[in-house]
Amino acid sequence: MTDSMKILIVEDDEDYALLIKDYLRDKWSSQKLTLHHAVNFKNALELIETNGTFDLYIFDYLLNHINGIELIQAVRHRGIDSPIIFLTGYGNEEIAVTALKTGATDYISKAKLTPELLHHSVHHALEVCSFERQKKRYDEELRIKNEELAKLNYYLEQRVNEEVKKNKDREHMFILQNRQAAMGEMFSYIAHQWKQPLNAIGLIIQTMEDVFKEEGYQEAFFQEEVKKVMSLIQHMACTIDDFKHFLVPDRQKSHCILGDVISKTINLIQDSFKANHIAIHSEIRVNRPVWCLPNQLCHVLINILNNARDALIQRMIKDPWVKIVLDFEDDRSVISISDNAGGIDESIIDKIFDPYITTKKEGSGIGLYMSKLMIEKNMNGHIYARNTDEGAEFVIELP
């Protein structure tokens, strides 16, 4: 109980109201009690309007023509949450239960009223009220926190959606850039592979022209030379088909022989390496079918081999070489591509699969990033790089 307390007693029996006041003063004589008395429903509401909210209400059940339960309803309707002690002389449990359901905090039978019982009921009502107010504060704080959390979750969800969209857009951009770079490389490889056949065709045509001018028409000779030209053209057409198939994206995984993918890759790029006097060695130790995306795997191998070629050329390595080894370790197929170009700078070796990380002057920095996506995201494999005594080694593991 606080140092001062304002109590409203609503009781139409003046003597009984005085008795309640005496009981209160007897138990809390040292307290600063402010006691107000109303004799009926109307008088009680007037006192509430005049004096504001009371710290405690004591209502009798019978108040002339209006009972105390209606007064409880009126008080609670005004938003007053102070404790209410309900008095009844009937000892009827149903009336007490109705009062409690309506908003009373406690009830006392007039026939059993004593200073001690009133004292206990007041303390109980005040504690219940304090608990309920505290609970309301906690509930309100919880509601506010939940609203803030909901707003935060909504904000985070929006941010996540935005980041997911940005990542998808960025990944799409990377794919387009990588595709453009791959097409540029393909044109370069086609140029290398067509250069020798075109030169040969030019020489054949020039020879045919010289023979025709000097010796006249020779059908057998011309037929043989035409066969040579047609053979060269067929070779060039096959080259176009090989590169065309490479550029067609895989739609789904398939069983493929890794040794065949490696051979196909070497066939696509070997003229470019020969033109730069770079030897390509391959060693197929275990050749088994795996579920993969063959064109994407070929694309990854070309990216790594291109990087090795460029490093060997840039550093002017004597007797340059690249080695591809296919093996089987720990239930996984392992492809390793190594070179003798001196290795990768240790300061960036852990970042080379990040986007826009490159050591080339004109590099895009997306080739290895896309390679990692293809191997790890699309084929459930693993790719990593490390330095050896002679150069760099890239390792691809496929389940």
Side-chain angles (χ1 to χ4, degrees):
M1 194 167 174
T2 59
D3 291 338
S4 61
M5 189 165 60
K6 186 169 62 174
I7 300 175
L8 174 62
I9 302 167
V10 184
E11 169 62 65
D12 58 356
D13 186 329
E14 293 282 353
D15 292 335
Y16 206 86
L18 287 172
L19 179 64
I20 293 172
K21 290 179 181 180
D22 288 341
Y23 282 175
L24 290 172
R25 291 192 181 101
D26 178 60
K27 298 302 295 185
W28 293 291
S29 58
S30 61
Q31 305 294 333
K32 296 180 180 179
L33 291 177
T34 305
L35 302 176
H36 294 261
H37 175 220
V39 295
N40 55 42
F41 182 95
K42 181 180 178 182
N43 185 207
L45 294 183
E46 288 174 348
L47 285 172
I48 291 173
E49 292 293 333
T50 304
N51 295 276
T53 302
F54 287 81
D55 299 307
L56 176 70
Y57 298 89
I58 301 175
F59 294 164
D60 186 19
Y61 172 59
L62 290 178
L63 298 170
N64 296 327
H65 300 296
I66 299 178
N67 63 48
I69 290 178
E70 293 180 69
L71 182 57
I72 294 173
Q73 292 174 332
V75 169
R76 294 303 187 213
H77 182 72
R78 283 165 168 73
I80 298 172
D81 64 351
S82 299
I84 298 174
I85 297 175
F86 192 68
L87 301 176
T88 175
Y90 291 84
N92 192 324
E93 291 296 325
E94 291 184 3
I95 296 174
V97 170
T98 301
L100 293 174
K101 288 181 178 180
T102 305
T105 311
D106 197 6
Y107 73 94
I108 302 174
S109 171
K110 282 186 175 181
K112 300 178 180 180
L113 185 64
T114 63
E116 289 74 17
L117 181 60
L118 181 60
H119 169 79
H120 179 271
S121 181
V122 169
H123 272 283
H124 171 70
L126 291 173
E127 287 177 359
V128 169
C129 179
S130 176
F131 173 80
E132 289 180 349
R133 284 174 177 172
Q134 189 174 25
K135 182 178 179 299
K136 284 182 181 179
R137 285 197 299 270
Y138 288 154
D139 289 344
E140 179 62 16
E141 290 174 2
L142 181 61
R143 183 189 66 78
I144 294 172
K145 293 296 182 184
N146 284 336
E147 287 182 357
E148 292 175 352
L149 182 60
K151 290 178 181 178
L152 179 60
N153 286 337
Y154 176 78
Y155 171 75
L156 290 176
E157 185 178 353
Q158 294 299 110
R159 285 292 304 274
V160 168
N161 291 336
E162 289 174 6
E163 290 302 317
V164 168
K165 184 179 182 303
K166 286 180 182 178
N167 287 336
K168 286 183 178 179
D169 292 342
R170 190 182 298 115
E171 187 172 317
H172 181 64
M173 180 187 67
F174 287 149
I175 292 172
L176 290 177
Q177 290 178 342
N178 197 53
R179 179 66 61 182
Q180 291 171 351
M183 290 179 67
E185 290 288 348
M186 290 304 101
F187 288 131
S188 173
Y189 293 141
I190 291 171
H192 279 291
Q193 296 217 26
W194 275 22
K195 187 174 182 180
Q196 186 175 350
L198 286 172
N199 287 337
I201 290 172
L203 289 172
I204 290 171
I205 292 174
Q206 187 177 7
T207 301
M208 291 171 67
E209 183 181 11
D210 292 341
V211 170
F212 182 78
K213 287 180 180 179
E214 295 177 2
E215 302 177 11
Y217 179 73
Q218 297 179 12
E219 183 176 356
F221 171 77
F222 274 88
Q223 287 179 350
E224 184 64 28
E225 295 303 299
V226 168
K227 285 182 182 178
K228 292 180 182 179
V229 171
M230 293 306 296
S231 177
L232 291 168
I233 291 174
Q234 182 64 32
H235 171 72
M236 295 167 70
C238 289
T239 300
I240 288 295
D241 287 340
D242 287 341
F243 286 110
K244 178 183 70 176
H245 293 151
F246 167 75
L247 289 171
V248 174
D250 298 298
R251 295 190 179 275
Q252 59 184 7
K253 290 182 181 179
S254 62
H255 265 110
C256 64
I257 305 299
L258 291 181
D260 294 346
V261 177
I262 292 172
S263 298
K264 174 185 175 182
T265 303
I266 293 174
N267 185 55
L268 290 173
I269 65 165
Q270 61 185 353
D271 284 353
S272 171
F273 277 62
K274 286 179 181 178
N276 291 285
H277 309 289
I278 300 172
I280 301 179
H281 308 290
S282 64
E283 183 179 344
I284 309 300
R285 296 174 182 171
V286 179
N287 195 13
R288 60 189 288 271
V290 298
W291 279 99
C292 71
L293 299 167
N295 282 354
Q296 288 195 19
L297 179 57
C298 185
H299 193 119
V300 171
L301 294 175
I302 288 177
N303 271 336
I304 296 171
L305 289 167
N306 282 344
N307 289 341
R309 178 201 62 195
D310 294 343
L312 290 165
I313 294 171
Q314 180 182 353
R315 298 173 185 178
M316 296 182 288
I317 302 299
K318 184 179 179 181
D319 299 325
W321 56 261
V322 174
K323 185 176 182 180
I324 306 174
V325 176
L326 173 60
D327 208 342
F328 186 73
E329 301 174 3
D330 300 326
D331 296 327
R332 297 170 76 85
S333 293
V334 180
I335 304 172
S336 63
I337 306 103
S338 55
D339 59 51
N340 64 334
I344 303 167
D345 188 337
E346 290 292 343
S347 65
I348 65 167
I349 194 168
D350 293 331
K351 303 176 183 178
I352 58 172
F353 291 104
D354 294 345
Y356 303 121
I357 299 296
T358 180
T359 59
K360 301 178 185 179
K361 291 182 179 180
E362 297 180 358
S364 64
I366 60 171
L368 290 178
Y369 170 75
M370 290 304 303
S371 296
K372 187 175 181 68
L373 284 182
M374 291 176 187
I375 295 297
E376 298 189 353
K377 181 179 179 181
N378 298 350
M379 288 180 263
N380 298 319
H382 182 49
I383 182 172
Y384 59 92
R386 60 193 176 194
N387 284 324
T388 65
D389 292 338
E390 296 180 283
E393 181 181 34
F394 284 81
V395 180
I396 299 170
E397 299 178 354
L398 294 174

